[in-house]
Amino acid sequence: LTPCIGIAPFRCVTGKDKLHGPGAGERTVSYRKVRANSTVSAALDPHHTHFLLVDNDKTPGFGGEIRFRTQLEERLSNDMRIPKVLLVLSGGKGTVEMVAESVKRCTPVVLVKESGGAAQAIAEFLAPLLPHKEQLLQNR
């Protein structure tokens, strides 16, 4: 099984009370999505094998994890000498911010348009620009 690590803002995790408890480090928790995602909280994605749950006092809601995630990815990529790429499936406002941050750092971004959400919105925004990509890249 290939590890798939999710990074999320702890304060926004639905059912985060189940994740508190004695002991530190890695542990297994029985977790189920109990209500629909909202602008206030969201369930952890069951397709991930591990999670890093972070908090940021300056940005306590969604998006508070973006700076941490970007710095962690940069550090791992540099230390391990491996290339990085951002794969975008669906997503929301935080995903748009993550794409913008990745582009600023010259990290390649792959958008899966048909996955909906932010991926589709960004792909549809960029589609009319693709015929002019050579000219746009020269003006960089």
Side-chain angles (χ1 to χ4, degrees):
L1 182 64
T2 302
C4 182
I5 302 169
I7 301 175
F10 181 73
R11 294 179 193 175
C12 297
V13 174
T14 302
K16 64 182 168 280
D17 53 307
K18 288 186 172 197
L19 306 176
H20 273 286
E26 186 176 329
R27 62 189 175 104
T28 303
V29 175
S30 177
Y31 180 87
R32 288 188 1 215
K33 183 174 181 175
V34 293
R35 63 177 180 257
N37 293 343
S38 71
T39 57
V40 178
S41 71
L44 296 173
D45 186 328
H47 297 101
H48 291 81
T49 58
H50 298 79
F51 292 93
L52 292 174
L53 303 175
V54 298
D55 264 334
N56 177 338
D57 289 336
K58 293 179 183 175
T59 312
F62 288 111
E65 77 287 2
I66 292 174
R67 184 169 178 217
F68 171 82
R69 176 180 171 162
T70 303
Q71 290 174 344
L72 176 66
E73 290 169 347
E74 192 77 25
R75 179 71 183 262
L76 290 173
S77 176
N78 290 338
D79 288 357
M80 299 174 81
R81 294 189 168 101
I82 55 173
K84 59 183 172 166
V85 63
L86 177 65
L87 176 62
V88 183
L89 293 113
S90 192
K93 180 184 171 203
T95 304
V96 174
E97 292 174 35
M98 194 70 217
V99 168
E101 192 64 35
S102 295
V103 169
K104 285 179 195 172
R105 294 176 180 265
C106 297
T107 299
V109 176
V110 176
L111 301 168
V112 181
K113 179 181 176 183
E114 300 304 321
S115 64
Q120 185 156 350
I122 296 167
E124 288 176 0
F125 174 80
L126 294 175
L129 302 174
L130 291 179
H132 310 287
K133 69 180 177 184
E134 296 301 324
Q135 181 183 359
L136 292 169
L137 290 173
Q138 288 176 355
N139 294 334
R140 242 178 112 173

